[in-house]
Amino acid sequence: MATEDKNRATAAAILPLVGGAANVSSIAHCMTRLRLGLHDRSLVDDEALKALPAVMGVVEDDTYQIVLGPGTVARVTPEFEQLVEEGRETAPPQAAVSSDDLAAQGAAIKAQQKAKNATPFKLFLRKIANIFVPLIPALIGCGIIAGLNGLLVNLGWLPAVTPALAAMASGFMALIAVFVGYNTAKEFGGTPILGGAVAAIIVFPGVANIDAFGQTLSPGQGGVLGALGAAVLAVYVEKWCRRWVPEALDVLVTPTLTVLISGLATIFGLMYVAGEISSAIGTFADWLLSNGGAGAGFVLGGLFLPLVMLGLHQALIPIHTTLIEQQGYTVLLPILAMAGAGQVGAAMAVYFRLPRNESIRRTIKSALPAGLLGVGEPLIYGVSLPLGRPFITACVGGAFGGGFVGLFNQLGDTVGSTAIGPSGWALFPLLDGNHGLGSTIAIYGTGLLVGYVAGFLATYFFGFSKDLLTEFNVSQDPAPSTVAATGGPHPTPATDTDTDTDADAGRANGPGSTDPGSTGPDSPEKAPARV
């Protein structure tokens, strides 16, 4: 009961700071963020939101995103939705909107969209992320059950229970194409159930009786990529039908033609093509780590933080899902997770290099536990990125950790993850490989340690210039005599605080990111901006 009250209190604190119920047009959430569509962005009080204890930061993108952290956001969102609904029911009638008001709102929206500078490629990646992100909770849950089942089978324990666990773990993956098709149609503006219906053809056992391109099809051929393509095609067929089918016949003709045309194209084209692409992805990933090894891991681990900053990491989501579908785990995620280890090591070095800067040290202490669990953006936007050079040295730490894990992949000890989403210590329950769980855990854990140490050393010795130390290794808090004389602390001078750094950094980070953004949850001040 206390937890429910806390979640409702958090929702109640957020609502007025985003302009009240009347200003909220849509509500959704991913693993870490409450995503809000807002009518008027100017009504939001960013600084007050960041000051709330439960808020880890804010990110402005296609939606206004409030970072609450994994677990918390799933509990706060229903309370927030209920408060918004109650607010709308009790709101007084709105005054009529004049043409001048509409023109002003339109100009503001146009200027806001232009400022975001969204490219077609990033918009496409955003759609892809929106398709797969809702599937992550099921992937995590089934992945952990699969790992537990594998452990019990290897130990020979509970033989009567393990078949049931195997069914639980495999059921979702066997039908994941249907969920991908449903979400794809929804995201691209079609009827979701029609997208799911067309995608269901891919996993239907009866396709084994069909020959295409001289080959017999197999259930699941093409996987999630085939489902994605089939659902997109279904959306376009559906929209084409609605342009000419009479309204009286629409309910009969449009869904029939959508499933028929898209289904035939899927069976006699997309399944084969997507199957070849899926196989190529798996073959390339295996080849890359078997031959590139440490070098490939070094590059992947070092570049992942910049990819997250640019939102380009979303392109990897279908690849991860395809590898999990094919092999049972993705070999890329444990390597990419090393980027978070480098960030943690860099933050620790900043803590020791700036012993007088109480503000930054408080931010690090509050954000470090989340960083250890793979939620790295509080450290990115609150510490390393504003300081500048420590962000680069954090990437160096991630590169060394990735190189270590990649080396063992090259030597034949494959380290993979049965689901996407978690990283850091939170990834341990999802680990899988080809040489037993103990070996896999040992390699991944040592990789994290390498990332921590490399990030720490690179930042400690190369992350600060003399001028940077002189500027930032100073107290950000008032002197004790000042506090005693006035009865309370004075706010720090304006030159010591950051104004737009977090917001700018947040806009650079696309949605779907597995990490929340901005400063630590309890830090009253942010690190000063540093270019």
Side-chain angles (χ1 to χ4, degrees):
M1 189 66 181
T3 302
E4 294 179 2
D5 292 342
K6 179 182 178 182
N7 294 330
R8 189 169 184 84
T10 299
I14 291 173
L15 183 57
L17 299 180
V18 295
N23 195 39
V24 178
S25 60
S26 65
I27 305 170
H29 75 87
C30 59
M31 283 192 65
T32 57
R33 307 179 187 188
L34 172 62
R35 298 169 179 258
L36 303 179
L38 301 174
H39 295 296
D40 188 350
R41 172 66 180 82
S42 65
L43 298 178
V44 179
D45 190 338
D46 295 288
E47 297 306 317
L49 275 171
K50 292 178 183 180
L52 293 177
V55 174
M56 304 174 74
V58 297
V59 179
E60 184 175 350
D61 205 89
D62 59 324
T63 55
Y64 189 79
Q65 303 169 17
I66 302 171
V67 184
L68 299 174
T72 301
V73 68
R75 292 166 173 80
V76 171
T77 300
E79 300 291 346
F80 188 85
E81 291 174 333
Q82 184 176 350
L83 289 174
V84 169
E85 186 65 27
E86 293 172 356
R88 288 171 179 168
E89 291 175 354
T90 59
Q94 295 184 348
V97 180
S98 68
S99 59
D100 291 340
D101 292 332
L102 290 176
Q105 290 180 17
I109 294 173
K110 184 177 180 180
Q112 183 179 352
Q113 293 296 328
K114 185 177 180 180
K116 291 176 182 176
N117 193 27
T119 64
F121 182 62
K122 285 189 177 180
L123 289 174
F124 174 75
L125 290 182
R126 189 173 299 155
K127 285 182 178 290
I128 298 299
N130 290 341
I131 291 167
F132 287 92
V133 166
L135 305 180
I136 289 178
L139 284 170
I140 293 173
C142 295
I144 291 177
I145 293 173
L148 175 62
N149 182 65
L151 179 63
L152 293 175
V153 170
N154 291 335
L155 294 174
W157 294 354
L158 303 177
V161 176
T162 51
L165 293 178
M168 297 176 198
S170 304
F172 172 73
M173 290 306 302
L175 297 174
I176 190 173
V178 179
F179 295 97
V180 170
Y182 183 94
N183 286 349
T184 300
K186 180 180 180 181
E187 186 64 28
F188 281 83
T191 302
I193 199 66
L194 291 179
V198 174
I201 297 170
I202 293 174
V203 295
F204 178 60
V207 297
N209 301 320
I210 303 172
D211 290 333
F213 299 98
Q215 297 181 5
T216 301
L217 295 178
S218 58
Q221 185 174 336
V224 295
L225 298 182
L228 196 156
V232 170
L233 177 60
V235 170
Y236 283 102
V237 172
E238 180 186 0
K239 291 181 178 180
W240 170 72
C241 289
R242 296 199 189 281
R243 285 200 295 265
W244 62 270
V245 174
E247 186 174 344
L249 299 176
D250 180 75
V251 69
L252 298 175
V253 175
T254 297
T256 302
L257 290 180
T258 298
V259 175
L260 178 62
I261 296 173
S262 304
L264 289 173
T266 298
I267 293 171
F268 293 104
L270 283 176
M271 285 185 67
Y272 176 81
V273 174
E276 293 298 308
I277 295 175
S278 298
S279 298
I281 288 174
T283 301
F284 177 73
D286 290 339
W287 175 88
L288 180 66
L289 295 180
S290 297
N291 295 276
F298 191 90
V299 172
L300 291 171
L303 291 181
F304 189 63
L305 285 181
L307 288 178
V308 172
M309 292 290 302
L310 297 173
L312 300 179
H313 66 296
Q314 297 164 357
L316 298 172
I317 296 177
I319 297 176
H320 287 310
T321 309
T322 297
L323 292 174
I324 293 171
E325 192 178 33
Q326 285 182 347
Q327 304 174 0
Y329 50 77
T330 168
V331 294
L332 297 179
L333 186 59
I335 291 177
L336 300 177
M338 297 299 123
Q343 179 61 57
V344 168
M348 291 179 177
V350 172
Y351 185 89
F352 286 104
R353 289 290 272 166
L354 302 180
R356 298 178 182 176
N357 194 316
E358 298 87 353
S359 174
I360 292 180
R361 286 164 67 94
R362 278 197 302 270
T363 298
I364 293 172
K365 284 192 291 186
S366 63
L368 197 58
L372 292 170
L373 293 174
V375 183
E377 288 182 5
L379 291 174
I380 294 175
Y381 297 127
V383 181
S384 64
L385 190 62
L387 290 173
R389 195 182 294 185
F391 179 76
I392 299 174
T393 54
C395 295
V396 172
F400 276 95
F404 179 87
V405 178
L407 174 62
F408 277 88
N409 274 276
Q410 186 175 9
L411 296 175
D413 285 316
T414 301
V415 178
S417 170
T418 58
I420 58 176
S423 61
W425 293 3
L427 195 62
F428 277 108
L430 297 168
L431 291 177
D432 196 2
N434 62 346
H435 279 76
L437 187 59
S439 173
T440 303
I441 290 177
I443 295 171
Y444 178 75
T446 307
L448 287 179
L449 182 61
V450 170
Y452 295 151
V453 173
F456 180 91
L457 294 177
T459 305
Y460 193 89
F461 291 107
F462 305 106
F464 291 89
S465 64
K466 185 177 180 180
D467 291 340
L468 195 66
L469 280 175
T470 301
E471 181 177 355
F472 287 104
N473 192 24
V474 294
S475 176
Q476 304 292 306
D477 287 341
S481 59
T482 303
V483 176
T486 60
H490 286 174
T492 55
T495 55
D496 291 336
T497 56
D498 176 28
T499 54
D500 298 321
T501 303
D502 289 343
D504 292 340
R507 281 191 290 270
N509 181 33
S513 172
T514 58
D515 297 332
S518 198
T519 58
D522 301 317
S523 59
E525 303 170 271
K526 298 187 293 293
R530 180 70 178 179
V531 178

